[in-house]
Amino acid sequence: MTERDLFLPVAAQPSVETLVEGARLGEDLGYDTAWLPETWGRDAVTTLTCIARETDEIGVGTSIMPVYSRSPALIGQTATTLQEVSEGRFRLGLGPSGPLVIENWHGVEFGNPLRRTRETVEIVKRVLSGEPVEYDGEIFDLEGFRLRCDPPDPVPAVDTAGMGPKAVELAGRFADGWHALLLTREGLRDRLEDFDRGTELGDRDRSEQRVSLSLTCCVLEDAEEAKRLVRQHVAFYVGGMGSYYRDNLARQGHEAAANEIYDRWQDGDTDGAMAALSDDLLERLAVWGTPETARERFERFTGIDGVAAVSVSFPRAADIDQIRSTMRALAPE
């Protein structure tokens, strides 16, 4: 049975307590894991610590923590601590993010993201084992580090996010799971083939790896407003968050729409970018509607062979009431 996760909103939240309340509501509604991204605003580590302290059963995880903004050893220490604080409920999600975020916001060169992600995963797993870290890689050369506390028990899983074939193959080869985003059902199946190929290359046990799909959702009594919020969100990512999301959509057979959305958004024509995202394509990528109609749309994404969980995510412009409405409408039955 496909698990149902919760992707906590990173934007438009008035306080850490609001995010904690959201996670508590998710726990009450039966969601399996509460994921928190780290982009701008509040950092994921402090916030997840608060959530872990105020919940009892729901899993907690980062989706994603960028591999450029912290050293691999520090990420390992952080995962160790969050596993302790959550009493074994933590799962670490990592990813390179993109040059817009890494270079413009963090001032770090966005070089060789696949290699950096691989080496970070390998070093983090070594840290989590409690053994001395001796590592000679292309990017990192480490020696002498070892946890000065007991290693986490159980050891938290380490997932990676990625959109291109090589990034997803890397996830299958070196990570314990893959976080998928902004994919149609057909596009997801193509990338699952890449993940499975990586699993074979890494001689991994596929049954122990977890693939989760983040799905933008908005459920309101006003279906048109829900659709507008979802459309604005998808257009923003394709058009305004660098070229990775544009290329990801083009790779799935929607090159003309992807380029038009991107070009119009870059030219400041946000209305035109949103208009370039047809209802048909939007329905392939996201879920919206009234409580009566949205669940049917959501169920189209569950039960996909090879996907362990689908995360209910929210439009960036949705307010707290709209987020809570969506959570309740799509909660596990």
Side-chain angles (χ1 to χ4, degrees):
M1 182 176 178
T2 306
E3 293 183 2
R4 192 158 305 189
D5 291 351
L6 179 65
F7 202 97
L8 294 170
V10 70
Q13 299 303 293
S15 67
V16 171
E17 182 58 27
T18 304
L19 289 161
V20 173
E21 290 172 356
R24 283 199 297 253
L25 177 59
E27 183 171 72
D28 292 341
L29 292 172
Y31 286 92
D32 292 284
T33 301
W35 298 100
L36 184 68
E38 186 172 74
T39 49
W40 57 87
R42 298 176 183 90
D43 76 283
V45 178
T46 307
T47 308
L48 283 175
T49 300
C50 296
I51 289 171
R53 286 294 195 183
E54 297 294 330
T55 54
D56 299 309
E57 298 179 356
I58 193 169
V60 293
T62 55
S63 181
I64 63 167
M65 178 184 288
V67 298
Y68 288 88
S69 53
R70 292 177 177 86
S71 75
L74 177 58
I75 292 172
Q77 290 175 269
T78 299
T80 297
T81 308
L82 280 169
Q83 184 72 317
E84 179 181 353
V85 170
S86 67
E87 298 182 325
R89 292 180 285 137
F90 179 66
R91 193 174 183 106
L92 177 66
L94 299 172
S97 189
L100 184 149
V101 172
I102 300 306
E103 295 185 349
N104 293 4
W105 299 357
H106 293 287
V108 178
E109 181 183 355
F110 189 78
N112 203 344
L114 293 183
R115 185 71 199 185
R116 189 179 186 105
T117 301
R118 170 184 170 173
E119 293 193 10
T120 298
V121 169
E122 290 176 332
I123 294 168
V124 167
K125 288 192 170 188
R126 186 68 176 179
V127 171
L128 294 173
S129 74
E131 298 299 318
V133 179
E134 308 293 336
Y135 191 86
D136 183 13
E138 293 181 13
I139 297 174
F140 297 105
D141 185 5
L142 309 177
E143 62 177 330
F145 180 89
R146 185 174 185 175
L147 287 174
R148 294 189 64 189
C149 59
D150 292 336
D153 184 20
V155 176
V158 182
D159 304 333
T160 62
M163 290 182 285
K166 288 299 182 182
V168 178
E169 181 184 294
L170 180 146
R173 188 175 179 184
F174 298 101
D176 301 313
W178 168 48
H179 291 229
L181 175 68
L182 208 64
L183 290 164
T184 65
R185 287 171 56 90
E186 297 77 18
L188 178 60
R189 290 192 181 99
D190 289 341
R191 297 290 76 79
L192 283 169
E193 293 179 5
D194 299 322
F195 185 82
D196 291 342
R197 182 171 59 253
T199 295
E200 293 177 5
L201 289 171
D203 196 23
R204 307 293 304 281
D205 185 345
R206 180 64 173 84
S207 67
E208 295 182 355
Q209 294 174 306
R210 185 182 192 269
V211 172
S212 60
L213 170 67
S214 178
L215 192 60
T216 304
C217 305
C218 190
V219 186
L220 306 172
E221 292 297 339
D222 185 346
E224 286 303 309
E225 175 64 7
K227 182 166 68 173
R228 185 191 70 81
L229 288 167
V230 167
R231 174 175 274 121
Q232 193 276 342
H233 179 91
V234 174
F236 166 75
Y237 270 85
V238 175
M241 285 295 288
S243 61
Y244 281 88
Y245 294 96
R246 177 200 63 188
D247 295 344
N248 176 51
L249 186 57
R251 196 181 295 116
Q252 297 174 70
H254 303 284
E255 184 175 3
N259 287 333
E260 184 176 358
I261 294 166
Y262 180 85
D263 291 342
R264 287 183 178 274
W265 195 283
Q266 292 296 310
D267 289 340
D269 181 12
T270 56
D271 289 340
M274 291 171 63
L277 181 59
S278 69
D279 284 0
D280 177 68
L281 180 53
L282 188 64
E283 193 159 359
R284 292 170 182 260
L285 294 166
V287 168
W288 76 88
T290 66
E292 291 73 28
T293 60
R295 183 172 285 272
E296 180 182 348
R297 282 193 173 105
F298 187 89
E299 296 297 339
R300 297 174 190 172
F301 292 88
T302 63
I304 298 174
D305 189 34
V307 177
V310 179
S311 295
V312 175
S313 181
F314 310 100
R316 58 194 294 267
D319 63 29
I320 294 172
D321 290 340
Q322 292 165 335
I323 289 167
R324 300 291 191 266
S325 170
T326 303
M327 288 175 60
R328 292 188 174 94
L330 297 179
E333 294 180 326

